[in-house]
């Protein structure tokens, strides 16, 4: 009897324990359901606040423009007495008169003709690694891409237009891969001037190096990375060591002058370096390189100017046929223009619009310019600037005049905004942080006229870089879907 009662007691306790555990599980599930509902509510609220924030930013920009003071008021605020609008102590005209005299080149909307057909898709362009940058050769025949696999890829993308499903794969397999020793995050081809040009592409790397690579498909050597002629050790001499151009931190931008063999490189270490390149030759060397090859090319490299800033240099570009270098340094509220014909004389132009210099919002801007691109026609009269605050800006070169503000996409401080002009100069291409698409803006209306997304044959991952040809209707893009695409104008 005692044994029976003890067993009954134990069974009752087990039953109560099971009931307690079931109650705890039910309670936990209910709490989880309530928390999930709360997360949904907070997510909706976050999106509402983000939209409200963008609206407030747009209102702030309108307020800044409305608060712009007349140019003659600069004197009352302690402005420059040598203002261009003041001659002999008399004002040539008010701010409004100046605005009336300005010509708006973007009054009429574009003609609707721009590349929107993903004619070529190059899958797995860097294998299982992400491509990070892209650039087209000046004759548009070769696409260069840099990747997280530390390689520069040279691809004759036109062969992918051949009939057959395997033509794109064959184009990728036939591409030339050059190991650069570190992830390649920016690249630029040497420009062709009057039919002459160096067959070189510059690759900016994560380790601070800039590799000069022979891009000719008729290259006879086994090592395409060109070495400097006169440096024979790892010691850095005036920004150049035995492997080429060198910065202290990763390279953010590489651009070539349009009329001279000069490459400008910008780095996160706060430096900009101008290097003259020439006298390229293919030679035999007694010293093997890292891959055991001893047939490499050499090229003369001479640093003609170095500039040092307090913050990372985010973006640079050449203007005036290479006579001017424009750059943006993080933490500043202006663009710097350097006259290369006048000892790199610096001129600063505020990014706050023409209200700058009047005491209104003069020392601070709420964004950073991460990509600069001069207009392809009218002599580079305008600059397109991609920022990290969901705003792209078109500015008049060497002035404080903001011509257009472009919204409708999202890019914040953790994004990698890029921008490119159509060859007609009527449209702009840009990427978006939260969309796997390329946005196309009509500049005149400041509106997005098309999103080149996966539904239109676009990328299925974040678009990392965009490059538009300045000569033809050809646009190249690379994405974290591991592919590169070449867009052509549809028939």
């Amino acid at each position: 009897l005692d044994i029976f009662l003890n067993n009954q007691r134990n069974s009752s306790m087990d039953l109560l324990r099971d009931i307690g555990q079931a109650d705890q599980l039910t309670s936990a599930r209910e709490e989880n359901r309530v928390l999930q509902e709360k997360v949904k509510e907070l997510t909706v609220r976050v999106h509402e606040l983000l939209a409200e924030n963008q609206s407030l930013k747009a209102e702030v920009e309108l307020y800044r423009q409305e608060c712009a003071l007349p140019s003659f008021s600069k004197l009352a605020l302690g402005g420059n007495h040598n203002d261009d609008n003041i001659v002999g102590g008399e004002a040539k005209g008010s701010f409004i008169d100046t605005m009336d005299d300005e010509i708006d080149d973007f009054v009429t909307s574009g003609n609707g003709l721009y590349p929107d057909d993903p004619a070529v898709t190059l899958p797995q362009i860097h294998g299982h690694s992400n491509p990070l940058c892209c650039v087209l050769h000046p004759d548009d025949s070769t696409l260069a891409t840099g990747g997280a696999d530390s390689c520069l890829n040279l691809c004759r993308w036109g062969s992918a237009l051949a009939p057959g499903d395997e033509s794109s794969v064959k184009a990728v397999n036939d591409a030339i891969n050059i190991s650069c020793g570190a992830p390649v995050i920016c690249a630029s081809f040497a420009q062709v001037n009057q039919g002459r040009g160096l067959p070189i592409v510059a690759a900016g790397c994560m380790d601070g190096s800039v590799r000069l690579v022979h891009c000719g498909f008729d290259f006879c050597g086994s090592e395409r990375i060109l070495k400097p002629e006169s440096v024979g050790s790892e010691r850095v001499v005036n920004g150049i060591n035995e492997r080429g151009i060198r910065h202290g931190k990763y390279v953010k931008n590489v651009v070539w002058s349009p009329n001279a063999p000069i490459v400008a490189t910008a780095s996160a270490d706060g430096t900009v370096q101008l290097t003259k390149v020439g006298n390229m030759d293919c030679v035999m060397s007694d010293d093997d390189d890292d891959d055991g090859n001893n047939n490499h090319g050499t090229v003369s490299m001479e640093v003609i100017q170095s500039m040092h800033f307090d913050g990372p240099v985010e973006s640079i570009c050449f203007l005036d046929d290479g006579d001017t270098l424009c750059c943006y340094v993080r933490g500043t509220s202006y663009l710097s223009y350097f006259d290369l014909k006048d000892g790199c004389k610096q001129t600063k132009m505020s990014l706050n619009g023409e209200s700058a210099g009047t005491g209104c919002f003069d020392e601070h801007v709420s964004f950073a310019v991460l990509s600069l691109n001069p207009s392809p026609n009218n002599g580079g009269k305008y600059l397109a600037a991609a920022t990290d605050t969901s705003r792209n800006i078109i500015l008049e070169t060497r002035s404080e005049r903001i011509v257009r503000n472009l919204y409708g996409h999202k890019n914040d401080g953790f994004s990698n905004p890029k921008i490119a002009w159509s060859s007609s100069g009527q449209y702009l291409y840009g990427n978006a942080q939260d969309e796997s698409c390329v946005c196309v803006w009509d500049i005149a209306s400041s509106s997005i006229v098309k999103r080149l997304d996966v539904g239109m044959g676009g990328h299925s991952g974040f678009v990392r870089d965009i490059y538009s040809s300045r000569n033809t209707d050809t646009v190249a893009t690379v994405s974290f879907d591991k592919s590169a695409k070449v867009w052509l104008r549809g028939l």
Side-chain angles (χ1 to χ4, degrees):
L1 181 60
D2 292 338
I3 294 174
F4 174 77
L5 292 175
N6 187 50
N7 288 338
Q8 286 295 100
R9 188 181 303 109
N10 290 337
S11 297
S12 299
M13 293 179 65
D14 291 341
L15 179 61
L16 290 173
R17 187 182 302 111
D18 291 341
I19 293 175
Q21 291 176 347
D23 288 342
Q24 290 178 356
L25 180 60
T26 302
S27 177
R29 285 175 176 172
E30 181 62 22
E31 290 179 3
N32 185 49
R33 186 189 67 79
V34 172
L35 289 174
Q36 288 179 343
E37 291 296 326
K38 190 64 175 177
V39 167
K40 291 180 181 179
E41 292 177 7
L42 292 174
T43 301
V44 171
R45 181 56 180 158
V46 165
H47 286 297
E48 291 175 351
L49 290 173
L50 287 173
E52 183 179 341
N53 185 45
Q54 294 303 319
S55 176
L56 288 173
K57 287 182 178 179
E59 291 180 12
V60 167
E61 293 305 322
L62 291 175
Y63 174 67
R64 288 177 175 174
Q65 295 176 8
E66 291 172 359
C67 287
L69 296 179
S71 58
F72 57 77
S73 296
K74 293 181 180 180
L75 294 177
L77 292 171
N80 187 358
H81 290 263
N82 294 320
D83 194 292
D84 292 338
N85 288 328
I86 307 297
V87 177
E90 297 182 0
K92 291 194 292 185
S94 69
F95 177 81
I96 297 177
D97 292 337
T98 304
M99 288 296 293
D100 289 341
D101 291 338
E102 290 173 347
I103 298 175
D104 192 341
D105 293 313
F106 304 109
V107 173
T108 58
S109 293
N111 55 16
L113 302 177
Y114 52 85
D116 60 355
D117 174 26
V120 171
T121 298
L122 302 170
Q124 303 289 317
I125 190 71
H126 285 269
H128 296 291
S129 299
N130 284 320
L132 303 177
C133 62
C134 62
V135 62
L136 288 167
H137 189 274
D139 65 8
D140 296 337
S141 64
T142 303
L143 173 67
T145 60
D149 59 350
S150 302
C151 288
L152 182 74
N153 182 294
L154 301 176
C155 180
R156 290 285 186 91
W157 62 270
S159 62
L161 294 170
D165 296 336
E166 299 301 318
S167 58
S168 293
V169 175
K170 186 177 185 302
V172 172
N173 292 336
D174 292 342
I176 299 170
N177 282 283
I178 303 99
S179 177
C180 294
V184 179
I185 52 182
C186 54
S188 178
F189 281 100
Q191 299 300 301
V192 177
N193 181 40
Q194 297 179 349
R196 301 186 302 274
L198 294 170
I200 295 176
V201 57
C205 300
M206 187 70 75
D207 63 354
S209 65
V210 179
R211 309 293 195 189
L212 298 185
V213 179
H214 195 299
C215 61
F217 279 77
D218 57 349
F219 181 69
C220 59
S222 58
E223 175 56 49
R224 285 181 172 267
I225 295 181
L226 303 171
K227 295 184 178 181
E229 288 181 339
S230 58
V231 179
S233 68
E234 279 291 340
R235 184 170 61 90
V236 177
V237 179
N238 294 329
I240 295 177
N241 66 6
E242 68 169 2
R243 297 179 182 274
I245 302 169
R246 186 77 187 184
H247 287 274
K249 293 183 179 179
Y250 62 95
V251 182
K252 284 181 168 285
N253 237 191
V254 176
V255 292
W256 286 86
S257 168
N259 69 351
I262 296 174
V263 61
T265 56
S267 170
D269 65 2
T271 63
V272 172
Q273 188 167 296
L274 297 175
T275 305
K276 187 175 181 180
V277 179
N279 299 325
M280 185 176 63
D281 193 13
C282 183
V283 300
M284 293 295 294
S285 171
D286 294 331
D287 299 323
D288 290 346
D289 57 27
D290 294 337
D291 299 323
N293 301 318
N294 62 0
N295 189 7
H296 65 81
T298 62
V299 67
S300 65
M301 303 181 196
E302 177 189 359
V303 177
I304 58 177
Q305 188 63 254
S306 293
M307 306 176 193
H308 304 267
F309 303 92
D310 290 333
V313 183
E314 297 289 350
S315 50
I316 56 175
C317 66
F318 278 104
L319 300 168
D320 303 327
D321 289 330
D323 292 337
T324 302
L325 182 71
C326 178
C327 72
Y328 172 78
V329 179
R330 181 173 286 274
T332 62
S333 60
Y334 52 82
L335 293 179
S336 294
Y337 294 85
F338 295 93
D339 187 345
L340 303 185
K341 283 192 170 184
D342 190 14
C344 287
K345 181 180 179 182
Q346 182 182 14
T347 302
K348 299 178 181 179
M349 290 294 171
S350 174
L351 288 165
N352 282 317
E354 291 184 306
S355 61
T358 64
C360 296
F361 308 97
D362 190 32
E363 299 300 326
H364 173 74
V365 290
S366 59
F367 56 84
V369 176
L370 301 185
S371 179
L372 278 173
N373 206 326
S375 56
N377 39 31
N378 53 46
K381 181 179 178 180
Y382 300 101
L383 277 175
T387 77
D388 59 356
T389 56
S390 304
R391 174 190 177 195
N392 292 332
I393 309 171
I394 299 178
L395 306 106
E396 192 172 48
T397 302
R398 276 185 307 281
S399 83
E400 297 174 348
R401 180 188 173 211
I402 293 177
V403 180
R404 291 289 189 279
N405 286 303
L406 307 179
Y407 299 98
H409 65 304
K410 179 183 177 182
N411 275 318
D412 63 19
F414 298 99
S415 63
N416 188 57
K418 298 292 183 180
I419 200 163
W421 296 80
S422 67
S423 61
S424 67
Q426 297 176 319
Y427 298 93
L428 276 177
Y429 296 87
N431 58 354
Q433 177 182 359
D434 58 348
E435 298 178 82
S436 301
C437 73
V438 176
C439 300
V440 184
W441 281 271
D442 172 69
I443 298 176
S445 63
S446 303
S447 61
I448 295 178
V449 294
K450 191 170 288 188
R451 279 181 163 86
L452 306 178
D453 54 18
V454 66
M456 298 188 63
H459 292 285
S460 60
F462 168 73
V463 177
R464 168 73 186 198
D465 199 11
I466 306 170
Y467 184 88
S468 178
S469 169
R470 305 181 77 82
N471 304 313
T472 65
D473 286 326
T474 307
V475 172
T477 56
V478 290
S479 165
F480 283 175
D481 63 6
K482 310 292 191 298
S483 74
K485 289 183 181 289
V486 178
W487 305 75
L488 303 177
R489 199 173 78 185
L491 299 177

